[in-house]
Amino acid sequence: MANQHVLVTYTAAQSFQSSDNWIHFLAALRSLLPLRNLHWKPTSRPNLRTVQELDVSLVPLDSLRDEHTSQVPVTLLEKPLLNLYVLSCEDAETYKTTVKKQIKDWQTSVNQRKNQEWLIIHVVRPDSKNVDRKFFSMKGSVLDKIKGDFNIDKRDRCVQLPWSTGEQSPAVWADLIGKIKDGLLAAFDTAVLAREEEVKRSEGQRHMPGWNFCTYFILKESLASSFEGVNLFEDALQQYNELEATFMNVLGEKNMSWFGNLINPAPKDDSLPLLSPSKKSYRELILANTISIFDLRVYLLARQSMLLNKMQQPIEICRKAILFLSTFGKRLREVEMALPEYFVESWIFSSALSVVDQCDAWASSWPELEGIALARYNAIKGELLELAKSQLDILGVKVGHLPPKPPFLMALQTVSTTPSSPLPERNPSQRISKYEIMLAIGDIEAFYDLYCTISNRAIDAYVKAGRRKFALKLHGCLAALDNHRGRLSNALAIFSSLPAHYAPHMWTSLESFMLSHAIDTHAVLQKPRDREWIHLLLGFLKTYVNEPTSESLISHDINEYVTKLVTALREASEKLDSDLPHLDHPIMALEITKDTRCSQDEDLVYLTVLIHNRLPCDVHVDKIGVVLVGEDTTRLKFTAEFTKLVSGRNYLVLTCPTSSHGTYVHESVEIRIARLHFQWNRKSGGGAGDALTSRKHAIPVHLPRNPESLDVQLCLPPNTALGTTPKLHLTISSGRNDLATASVRLSAPAGVTFDFVNSELHSEGVGEIDTSEDGISIFNVPSNSNVIISVPHSDATRFRAIKIDVSITYKTVRDPALEWTLRTSRIVTVALPIAVNVEDFFRGERQVIPGLDSSVKLRTMFVTRLFSRFTISTTTQQHVRILSARLLSAPDAEQGAKIFGCHPSHSVMTAVPDRPVSYIFCIESDRGPVSDPLNLVISYRLLREEVEALVNKTVENALRQLSQESDVGTKLVQAIIEYLECDASWVELYNTTGELIIPSSLDVGEELEEAFSPVQKILSQPNPPSPSLGPWREMTIPVDVPKMNIVADAWIAIQPPPQTEELPRNQLPSIYAGQALSATVYITASLHWNDPENKRQRYRMRYDVEERTKDWLICGRKRGDFLVQDKSTFSVCLTLIALHHGHIELPKVEVKPLPLDGEEDVPKVLPSSDTHQSHGAETVLVLPRGGRSTFIVSMGTKRV
Amino acid sequence: MPQPPRLNAVALISPQNHPILIRTFQKGDELKYHYVAHTSLDVIEERTSGKTKPTECYLGLLYVMDDVAAYGYITPLKVKIVIALALTDSVVRDADVVMIFKALHMAFYEAVSNPFLKLDGVSESTADYSPYQAVGSMKWKRLRQAVDEIHRALCAYAP
């Protein structure tokens, strides 16, 4: 339909028409066209419409012929909307006589026409305007006259234009243009109203017999084209949309009698461009009532697209096209039998492509699409292209170019082939006309090329649109095509790369489809089954087990397929040249049960695990290994070999040759199929839900201890000697094993090292050892025996306890091929429980020196004895029992020192934390100092050890009477010890009386009940600590006897004043306070404990009598130097006056050595000395002076 | 009275784009509907990622391919529901489609409210607490039954 302009007629007054001005006027008026910015306020619609630009054709009125011949409603713009009458008459008389009549005639003719407006333009010369007014003001202007004559209603249809030739100002036209717009719009509005009324009336008659959709269509379309004519595209599109909706309604009511066939296939119908409304004379067909539904709908779509094009909405065009092609294509397929062969496919194919081309062509004239709009446009183009591609799918399957299987079958549609009405026979002479399709049907290569081209175009569009998933789908189709064409390596490459895109979002169905195709292609290619193939296969199995129940996309019997693959997997993995680990594959799930037990006759631990084989078939595995990890990362590996895992649940017993026990958690699992190693680590544990374990938390597994299995103990040796290399006793109990060999490794953290090379076999044990730098090897140990090895180690005194990891690998005589392990750790307390302090006292024997005043018992001491006090205190909170402490001279030392101990009050002493135990020894040496160190040997044990021994013994005795198994005893002892550990309240009572009160309510378990009560009874008896019970530890401490250069003995002898009366012998005369006493200070020095070579030396010493100003007044030389030699006595006289009465200690005499005389520059060495105050414990009784005492007593004063 | 649309397939997809359940009511066409569900995600993303966020759950017709019209729906918690309707030449009313979606949403809501659902679905990674499980897993038995029920109801409604 030609684009029709709005028509405006003009008529000019004859006088004006003949003038030159007329031509100019017309040209000037035309130059103002097209009109801009028309604002239409439609009466039938709520909103204001704005027409940006309106083309107007100015035609002379008489050029229009009356074309009322046709009844077919055409556009409203076919007839003029506005009629203009132009006059230029300035003379009122002329007007009255001639012009008025002319106008009247014109108006009459114009008014007859429906829906048309008219406008009288009065052109005046601009300069004459004002003059006119003045001159004719009385009579009124010509314009006023015209207005008066012709304005019949309110609307002013007369306008004056002050214009002459050469007038350039556009302002003068404003009034006229405004009036023209008003006129046009008013006419258009009435016309539209009228036409809409008609449409409504027609629509209302829809259900009446004889109503014809085509008539209605034409009527409605005329409205649409009217709107289009005034550039109101949205309103125009609205009309078509309403038409379409009505059509659908009519279709739904199946009121199609007035239609021709669904389709009258015409040649080239399938290849004509879809969006061209002029490819057929549709309107004629409609008018003739012979149009087919096919044509009508194509026409509708084409018209809509034209309008959308003008609105620049390509996305909407494509959307409508694709919906139309899909839906109508489906309808066409219902009558496919009547259509030329492949008509539908060809039509959709070519139409889709033509829409894309058409839109691109249209779009090229618009401003560039950007951003989201561009992406959407590309997406919709992709959809169109994919639609075309899917037609090729259908065609290919029909012709036989493509195999009838997915994904090519996806587009094939299930159409009910039983149409309601009998179909006309297919006209064999009709053929499709699309060249590409015809070529493709005939030539398979051309078909493939076309398929690839279209697919790639679609992929391209999708990629531009950012629709990755659509593109992936097409890639999959292309891969399938490659596969079919025999381009297998291409297909394999695509199939292998696609699963990676589906896997992240867990689209296992599609992933598994791609993988299975990759595997199939691989098989057809007969490529070697390498690692890559195994990875593909494992990927497939993963998807299989992850999605076992859902409908699989794989056509063949899935279980059989998987079984075959698993068999192939084994074969392939056998051929691998190296091990292939694979982490966290979900085909197996392993659960560790708590069922662990020990073998009865070997050091084996059995662990039952539940393996869930998720494959539908049995799997032969070479090895299953489960690693358990205990504290201190000791690992145990449980294995089983050559088993068949049936589909579903498998309980397997794994074994581990070990004698370790304790609590473990499982760390990793490995299942080997030939060289393929499936591994699952608990910690890495990726893969939600499908990893090895079904629980997030580690399940602790308790490995029981077998009392008969190999065991190891580490302890301090019973005899400790300080000052020598520390040692540990390693006791290996062979249990039931005849050990052929065993190698032991010890490792202690934090820098303590073991000196394995110097390890020694203890005499109590059996077996042979061989030592090396990093461990000890033990040979030939019979069963039920102990090997005791003392292992020296580096200094560990900074630790209280060290934790030692023990690792033993051993082989038995019975099964020399198998290697057992024992990994455990032991904590050894290396700190000693007791500490020893020593104090030395030098003393001599008293001798009376004869020859002096007999009344004075003059004494002197020659110091030859040394008393040593050893204080043994506990270093921990533990009570320590001490059996004995002996001071021994070294066995090889020269004789000369005699050591006397003292007798302890009890046979067993107990050192508690706040009450140490002291032992005193007296060392007598005739020949001076003792150069060889003595050894202090302490026999001790912890209270705990004693109690344990006591309980052990008691239980043993009790069991012997009951003749029960020793196993019961162990448990009972354990129960009692555990009870004692919990509570320290028994300690005090036990210390005092030796009674151990165990409450009978202690829960020891039923089996122990019988043995418990006698044990409890015996333990509660008083039981004094006895040295014979249990073992004692011995500690040897080397003790040096101190040397002393000078040992002095100071003594103050008081000579009592001469007495008047004779006193009984041996009684000092009374001493009174204030009485002067003469006293003598004796200082006896001995060099006995000095080095023998220094015995002759003379030393200078200084004495100093203590000043005790409250007790004594001392007169005389209270300080002085003197020379000393062995066994010499120095004496000096003093006078003492007691200052008060009472028992008064004598002042102390301090004796200090003075530096030796030596050379000047040699630093002076102070000799060592020790001074004993002989009188230290003596006091002197001083009596108060007798006689008179004066007391002043207050006699009282008279108070006033 | 227009016919109610024929339901060919239903897909429920988790916010992380993992399939929860894909149910196909057309034998032999599973691949196609898996593709439909998967590709619909692209379109849903286009619709929801634009500047103007859709205020409604119903996303309307996503796209038409071959004889299938895919409609989308996104729950407030971003679970996506895609249904594939058989394409017809007659008008499909949005109200009908929304009704189907509402029923499916409700079915999912009920299935996911099952407090024991999580017991079965043990998730290994702590980060992903979503209860949405892999497609077709047995855990969604109840949901599958509900979806089947909806399909059956629609079939019974159609002549």
Side-chain angles (χ1 to χ4, degrees):
Chain A
M1 189 176 293
N3 205 351
Q4 203 145 15
H5 290 170
V6 175
L7 283 180
V8 175
T9 66
Y10 60 84
T11 316
Q14 279 156 6
S15 57
F16 187 55
Q17 206 168 10
S18 56
S19 70
D20 284 348
N21 273 352
W22 169 241
I23 311 291
H24 291 294
F25 169 80
L26 213 53
L29 186 59
R30 283 214 165 96
S31 75
L32 292 170
L33 302 176
L35 296 173
R36 286 171 211 282
N37 291 329
L38 280 75
H39 299 287
W40 175 39
K41 176 79 184 67
T43 31
S44 56
R45 288 172 178 77
N47 292 337
L48 186 77
R49 308 295 156 105
T50 300
V51 179
Q52 299 289 350
E53 192 177 292
L54 186 66
D55 283 327
V56 174
S57 303
L58 272 179
V59 290
L61 179 66
D62 42 12
S63 71
L64 286 177
R65 274 164 294 152
D66 212 7
E67 287 175 299
H68 281 194
T69 45
S70 168
Q71 285 300 312
V72 180
V74 283
T75 167
L76 298 171
L77 309 181
E78 198 182 32
K79 291 178 198 161
L81 288 177
L82 184 65
N83 299 292
L84 302 178
Y85 191 85
V86 189
L87 75 157
S88 170
C89 172
E90 292 175 21
D91 177 14
E93 279 309 310
T94 325
Y95 168 72
K96 224 178 218 177
T97 51
T98 56
V99 179
K100 182 177 176 183
K101 183 160 186 311
Q102 285 170 12
I103 297 175
K104 201 85 187 169
D105 291 345
W106 170 79
Q107 193 198 20
T108 322
S109 76
V110 164
N111 265 346
Q112 281 166 359
R113 307 183 183 202
K114 269 192 277 179
N115 303 331
Q116 294 190 12
E117 278 290 333
W118 51 268
L119 185 66
I120 299 168
I121 304 168
H122 183 216
V123 181
V124 291
R125 272 198 305 278
D127 49 339
S128 67
K129 194 176 174 185
N130 292 335
V131 181
D132 280 347
R133 294 240 162 182
K134 277 176 191 165
F135 270 92
F136 300 103
S137 57
M138 299 298 285
K139 299 174 188 173
S141 66
V142 175
L143 180 68
D144 293 334
K145 285 202 163 79
I146 298 170
K147 281 184 177 170
D149 288 339
F150 296 102
N151 269 350
I152 40 179
D153 50 15
K154 279 181 208 161
R155 187 185 269 275
D156 182 13
R157 288 189 173 95
C158 306
V159 65
Q160 192 175 48
L161 181 71
W163 177 85
S164 65
T165 314
E167 175 66 59
Q168 294 297 322
S169 163
V172 297
W173 294 92
D175 197 20
L176 172 64
I177 295 294
K179 281 276 192 286
I180 289 177
K181 283 181 184 173
D182 287 348
L184 280 175
L185 290 176
F188 185 70
D189 192 41
T190 40
V192 165
L193 261 182
R195 187 57 61 87
E196 278 179 344
E197 268 310 307
E198 265 181 81
V199 170
K200 253 182 214 158
R201 208 179 311 128
S202 173
E203 199 176 356
Q205 292 166 347
R206 194 150 63 102
H207 296 288
M208 290 186 181
W211 181 76
N212 191 325
F213 181 79
C214 293
T215 325
Y216 171 73
F217 186 96
I218 294 291
L219 193 63
K220 184 103 175 160
E221 195 191 12
S222 69
L223 253 182
S225 43
S226 309
F227 285 126
E228 194 188 342
V230 296
N231 290 346
L232 285 170
F233 301 119
E234 273 170 53
D235 290 290
L237 185 64
Q238 179 63 26
Q239 300 308 315
Y240 281 110
N241 288 349
E242 282 169 20
L243 262 180
E244 194 179 3
T246 317
F247 175 77
M248 285 301 175
N249 273 338
V250 170
L251 206 63
E253 288 156 9
K254 303 212 188 295
N255 182 6
M256 296 202 281
S257 53
W258 32 264
F259 265 127
N261 290 323
L262 179 64
I263 178 168
N264 296 321
K268 295 210 166 183
D269 250 0
D270 60 315
S271 58
L272 286 172
L274 183 68
L275 300 185
S276 158
S278 56
K279 57 182 179 276
K280 279 188 187 178
S281 46
Y282 288 110
R283 277 183 66 83
E284 276 75 48
L285 286 171
I286 294 170
L287 285 171
N289 231 348
T290 53
I291 193 161
S292 62
I293 294 178
F294 174 77
D295 286 334
L296 181 77
R297 294 201 55 181
V298 168
Y299 175 66
L300 250 178
L301 180 74
R303 292 293 305 155
Q304 285 172 333
S305 303
M306 292 296 292
L307 288 170
L308 285 169
N309 170 34
K310 286 183 176 164
M311 292 159 68
Q312 304 192 350
Q313 290 188 346
I315 300 168
E316 196 58 21
I317 298 175
C318 294
R319 210 185 56 77
K320 276 196 181 301
I322 200 166
L323 194 60
F324 171 69
L325 288 175
S326 300
T327 53
F328 202 71
K330 194 171 153 72
R331 276 186 65 83
L332 283 183
R333 280 186 216 282
E334 287 171 12
V335 295
E336 205 172 6
M337 300 308 291
L339 297 174
E341 211 174 7
Y342 314 130
F343 176 85
V344 181
E345 290 79 26
S346 170
W347 174 68
I348 297 178
F349 177 82
S350 54
S351 298
L353 292 186
S354 77
V355 169
V356 172
D357 295 343
Q358 182 70 65
C359 283
D360 278 343
W362 280 335
S364 62
S365 62
W366 303 332
E368 287 278 307
L369 284 171
E370 276 177 358
I372 293 176
L374 184 63
R376 296 282 156 82
Y377 179 50
N378 276 321
I380 203 90
K381 275 201 292 188
E383 282 181 27
L384 271 168
L385 290 166
E386 196 187 338
L387 183 68
K389 188 227 85 171
S390 63
Q391 301 316 308
L392 291 179
D393 277 332
I394 300 170
L395 203 63
V397 174
K398 276 187 185 170
V399 176
H401 292 341
L402 294 175
K405 62 182 186 186
F408 308 115
L409 274 184
M410 285 196 301
L412 206 61
Q413 302 176 4
T414 46
V415 176
S416 57
T417 45
T418 51
S420 44
S421 56
L423 289 171
E425 280 299 302
R426 173 178 286 171
N427 187 346
S429 64
Q430 279 185 332
R431 288 268 182 273
I432 56 167
S433 55
K434 183 76 180 170
Y435 175 70
E436 283 103 323
I437 296 288
M438 289 195 293
L439 193 67
I441 290 169
D443 182 0
I444 190 161
E445 281 307 315
F447 174 83
Y448 291 150
D449 284 346
L450 185 62
Y451 192 97
C452 292
T453 315
I454 298 294
S455 297
N456 283 324
R457 273 182 73 185
I459 290 171
D460 201 35
Y462 280 143
V463 167
K464 279 185 194 157
R467 286 191 175 181
R468 263 187 58 238
K469 299 180 176 79
F470 281 89
L472 285 178
K473 174 181 164 184
L474 292 179
H475 275 302
C477 291
L478 280 181
L481 179 72
D482 277 337
N483 193 10
H484 175 64
R485 288 172 77 180
R487 298 182 174 184
L488 296 174
S489 45
N490 250 356
L492 179 63
I494 301 178
F495 278 136
S496 326
S497 68
L498 282 178
H501 296 284
Y502 292 111
H505 289 317
M506 292 163 62
W507 283 86
T508 38
S509 51
L510 293 174
E511 191 190 347
S512 119
F513 176 79
M514 295 305 162
L515 284 166
S516 84
H517 273 269
I519 291 166
D520 292 349
T521 315
H522 196 284
V524 177
L525 262 177
Q526 294 185 326
K527 278 183 50 169
R529 294 178 163 173
D530 48 5
R531 277 157 185 268
E532 224 167 287
W533 181 82
I534 288 175
H535 280 303
L536 277 179
L537 187 53
L538 291 176
F540 175 71
L541 292 179
K542 188 173 187 171
T543 63
Y544 168 77
V545 297
N546 276 347
E547 196 192 3
T549 53
S550 81
E551 60 272 293
S552 173
L553 304 178
I554 296 151
S555 44
H556 25 255
D557 180 7
I558 180 75
N559 286 354
E560 196 182 311
Y561 183 66
V562 170
T563 311
K564 229 162 49 192
L565 287 179
V566 172
T567 320
L569 175 67
R570 191 181 170 85
E571 283 165 13
S573 59
E574 272 163 5
K575 287 181 201 144
L576 283 178
D577 48 354
S578 64
D579 289 350
L580 177 65
H582 191 92
L583 286 175
D584 296 332
H585 198 281
I587 50 169
M588 306 273 175
L590 184 135
E591 225 175 276
I592 290 182
T593 63
K594 301 226 171 193
D595 179 17
T596 51
R597 63 203 154 78
C598 294
S599 162
Q600 287 306 311
D601 46 353
E602 271 183 299
D603 285 0
L604 287 178
V605 183
Y606 298 120
L607 173 72
T608 311
V609 295
L610 169 63
I611 296 183
H612 194 103
N613 178 6
R614 292 180 177 156
L615 292 174
C617 55
D618 302 349
V619 183
H620 290 271
V621 297
D622 294 344
K623 192 173 180 189
I624 298 171
V626 174
V627 175
L628 300 184
V629 60
E631 53 176 336
D632 311 321
T633 66
T634 52
R635 287 185 172 75
L636 294 178
K637 188 166 185 185
F638 288 78
T639 53
E641 294 192 338
F642 303 112
T643 14
K644 186 172 83 171
L645 297 176
V646 299
S647 177
R649 294 155 80 86
N650 295 275
Y651 280 100
L652 279 187
V653 177
L654 308 183
T655 57
C656 177
T658 184
S659 45
S660 305
H661 56 92
T663 304
Y664 288 78
V665 290
H666 97 265
E667 183 183 61
S668 65
V669 176
E670 183 179 73
I671 294 179
R672 294 188 184 196
I673 299 175
R675 310 206 74 156
L676 181 62
H677 299 185
F678 291 105
Q679 291 171 343
W680 296 271
N681 282 323
R682 189 176 61 79
K683 274 179 192 155
S684 65
D690 50 347
L692 165 74
T693 46
S694 53
R695 300 281 183 281
K696 196 184 297 175
H697 305 291
I699 310 165
V701 181
H702 183 73
L703 301 186
R705 178 176 184 275
N706 193 331
E708 287 178 83
S709 62
L710 184 95
D711 200 7
V712 64
Q713 293 300 332
L714 272 170
C715 58
L716 288 178
N719 301 320
T720 333
L722 291 189
T724 57
T725 317
K727 286 179 182 175
L728 284 177
H729 266 198
L730 172 73
T731 310
I732 296 167
S733 321
S734 59
R736 61 190 157 200
N737 304 293
D738 284 321
L739 292 183
T741 62
S743 71
V744 185
R745 268 184 194 79
L746 305 177
S747 61
V752 178
T753 51
F754 292 96
D755 181 11
F756 295 117
V757 179
N758 290 322
S759 301
E760 284 167 4
L761 193 62
H762 202 275
S763 55
E764 281 175 27
V766 293
E768 304 154 25
I769 63 165
D770 183 18
T771 58
S772 68
E773 286 282 324
D774 53 345
I776 305 168
S777 302
I778 305 166
F779 307 99
N780 305 329
V781 182
S783 57
N784 294 318
S785 55
N786 290 344
V787 185
I788 303 168
I789 305 165
S790 71
V791 186
H793 63 89
S794 63
D795 179 50
T797 44
R798 39 197 184 107
F799 302 104
R800 276 201 50 73
I802 49 175
K803 185 173 195 176
I804 299 171
D805 293 330
V806 185
S807 154
I808 304 180
T809 53
Y810 58 102
K811 290 179 179 172
T812 60
V813 177
R814 202 175 107 173
D815 195 355
L818 199 55
E819 193 172 73
W820 273 269
T821 59
L822 169 61
R823 278 175 226 286
T824 181
S825 65
R826 296 276 183 264
I827 295 173
V828 183
T829 311
V830 288
L832 292 169
I834 51 175
V836 177
N837 289 314
V838 61
E839 274 181 287
D840 290 317
F841 305 97
F842 292 94
R843 294 290 181 273
E845 209 169 337
R846 268 176 203 180
Q847 294 175 340
V848 176
I849 302 169
L852 282 169
D853 187 353
S854 62
S855 63
V856 180
K857 208 166 69 179
L858 185 64
R859 300 167 298 182
T860 184
M861 295 173 84
F862 294 106
V863 182
T864 50
R865 286 182 186 172
L866 171 65
F867 293 91
S868 288
R869 186 170 75 182
F870 292 91
T871 311
I872 300 172
S873 53
T874 62
T875 55
T876 62
Q877 289 300 306
Q878 294 269 356
H879 295 200
V880 179
R881 297 280 203 197
I882 298 163
L883 176 67
S884 68
R886 288 162 290 148
L887 190 65
L888 305 172
S889 55
D892 52 343
E894 51 190 295
Q895 285 297 314
K898 280 182 268 180
I899 299 164
F900 307 98
C902 50
H903 295 285
S905 54
H906 300 284
S907 61
V908 176
M909 307 286 286
T910 308
V912 296
D914 53 353
R915 205 169 51 208
V917 176
S918 298
Y919 287 87
I920 296 178
F921 296 93
C922 171
I923 301 161
E924 229 169 72
S925 159
D926 293 339
R927 282 184 284 171
V930 182
S931 53
D932 296 309
L934 307 177
N935 285 328
L936 179 69
V937 181
I938 304 170
S939 292
Y940 70 100
R941 67 182 171 206
L942 297 178
L943 186 67
R944 183 196 165 97
E945 289 168 336
E946 180 184 299
V947 172
E948 271 175 20
L950 174 68
V951 172
N952 260 330
K953 199 185 102 187
T954 318
V955 169
E956 224 168 86
N957 288 341
L959 286 180
R960 202 175 298 135
Q961 283 167 10
L962 290 167
S963 65
Q964 280 199 349
E965 288 172 44
S966 60
D967 187 32
V968 176
T970 322
K971 284 182 188 166
L972 187 57
V973 169
Q974 211 173 351
I976 294 171
I977 298 292
E978 267 172 25
Y979 165 75
L980 293 176
E981 274 174 351
C982 300
D983 186 12
S985 60
W986 55 272
V987 175
E988 206 171 328
L989 181 67
Y990 178 77
N991 264 343
T992 324
T993 63
E995 290 170 33
L996 265 181
I997 308 293
I998 315 278
S1000 49
S1001 60
L1002 180 67
D1003 182 23
V1004 290
E1006 274 178 36
E1007 45 176 342
L1008 307 178
E1009 206 66 67
E1010 191 188 353
F1012 176 60
S1013 53
V1015 168
Q1016 188 210 12
K1017 202 180 279 174
I1018 297 168
L1019 285 178
S1020 60
Q1021 302 291 320
N1023 180 22
S1026 101
S1028 59
L1029 173 82
W1032 292 91
R1033 291 168 180 273
E1034 214 169 70
M1035 183 160 75
T1036 309
I1037 305 171
V1039 182
D1040 285 321
V1041 181
K1043 281 178 185 168
M1044 199 60 74
N1045 292 120
I1046 311 155
V1047 182
D1049 181 80
W1051 180 52
I1052 299 178
I1054 293 179
Q1055 280 103 38
Q1059 294 292 318
T1060 48
E1061 52 192 293
E1062 196 63 29
L1063 282 171
R1065 227 183 133 69
N1066 287 339
Q1067 193 177 339
L1068 274 172
S1070 305
I1071 299 168
Y1072 296 94
Q1075 188 178 16
L1077 300 170
S1078 59
T1080 314
V1081 176
Y1082 297 96
I1083 299 170
T1084 311
S1086 163
L1087 303 183
H1088 181 81
W1089 296 98
N1090 200 347
D1091 284 330
E1093 60 264 28
N1094 292 342
K1095 281 223 169 154
R1096 302 274 157 237
Q1097 189 156 359
R1098 296 150 80 96
Y1099 295 92
R1100 287 177 64 228
M1101 298 192 88
R1102 170 174 295 170
Y1103 75 91
D1104 192 352
V1105 181
E1106 187 191 19
E1107 190 106 25
R1108 295 175 70 168
T1109 49
K1110 284 185 177 169
D1111 299 335
W1112 298 101
L1113 204 59
I1114 304 169
C1115 311
R1117 281 188 65 186
K1118 68 191 267 271
R1119 179 187 296 172
D1121 294 355
F1122 61 99
L1123 275 176
V1124 163
Q1125 59 190 73
D1126 193 21
K1127 294 183 182 166
S1128 66
T1129 303
F1130 165 80
S1131 61
V1132 65
C1133 288
L1134 294 174
T1135 306
L1136 296 178
I1137 299 167
L1139 290 179
H1140 58 93
H1141 58 88
H1143 284 281
I1144 304 178
E1145 279 179 33
L1146 286 169
K1148 288 206 165 56
V1149 181
E1150 193 185 341
V1151 181
K1152 284 191 295 189
L1154 289 173
L1156 287 173
D1157 289 333
E1159 271 101 85
E1160 285 298 313
D1161 40 341
V1162 176
K1164 294 185 173 176
V1165 183
L1166 212 56
S1168 58
S1169 77
D1170 184 73
T1171 308
H1172 173 235
Q1173 308 284 328
S1174 279
H1175 60 272
E1178 287 178 17
T1179 54
V1180 176
L1181 178 65
V1182 179
L1183 300 174
R1185 181 164 280 283
R1188 201 180 52 209
S1189 291
T1190 308
F1191 298 92
I1192 297 167
V1193 183
S1194 170
M1195 303 299 283
T1197 50
K1198 194 174 180 184
R1199 296 189 181 190
V1200 181
Chain B
M1 185 70 204
Q3 287 182 14
R6 200 173 82 225
L7 188 61
N8 280 1
V10 171
L12 288 119
I13 299 153
S14 77
Q16 292 84 24
N17 284 354
H18 298 178
I20 296 170
L21 180 81
I22 298 179
R23 196 84 184 107
T24 311
F25 304 110
Q26 300 261 304
K27 269 275 162 264
D29 260 352
E30 284 83 2
L31 177 66
K32 175 169 161 179
Y33 292 108
H34 278 257
Y35 267 136
V36 167
H38 191 240
T39 47
S40 293
L41 290 177
D42 269 345
V43 189
I44 290 175
E45 199 182 328
E46 272 176 25
R47 298 275 165 95
T48 51
S49 67
K51 277 176 198 152
T52 52
K53 297 268 183 274
T55 47
E56 268 190 87
C57 293
Y58 178 55
L59 298 174
L61 178 66
L62 298 178
Y63 68 96
V64 171
M65 191 48 62
D66 305 331
D67 58 343
V68 170
Y71 288 80
Y73 185 92
I74 184 161
T75 72
L77 289 176
K78 308 287 175 229
V79 172
K80 294 140 192 163
I81 308 177
V82 176
I83 60 172
L85 299 183
L87 195 64
T88 57
D89 202 12
S90 53
V91 178
V92 175
R93 285 188 306 167
D94 274 349
D96 290 340
V97 184
V98 170
M99 191 187 66
I100 300 174
F101 274 127
K102 290 249 163 86
L104 287 170
H105 188 179
M106 207 59 206
F108 176 71
Y109 175 74
E110 268 165 23
V112 93
S113 320
N114 178 359
F116 297 102
L117 188 68
K118 193 78 176 130
L119 285 181
D120 285 354
V122 176
S123 174
E124 274 290 302
S125 64
T126 42
D128 182 17
Y129 263 120
S130 83
Y132 314 116
Q133 290 301 309
V135 58
S137 69
M138 286 309 286
K139 287 134 204 163
W140 297 104
K141 198 169 147 198
R142 189 67 68 80
L143 178 61
R144 197 197 325 254
Q145 282 170 0
V147 169
D148 287 356
E149 190 60 40
I150 291 166
H151 175 241
R152 211 166 22 250
L154 278 170
C155 284
Y157 189 41

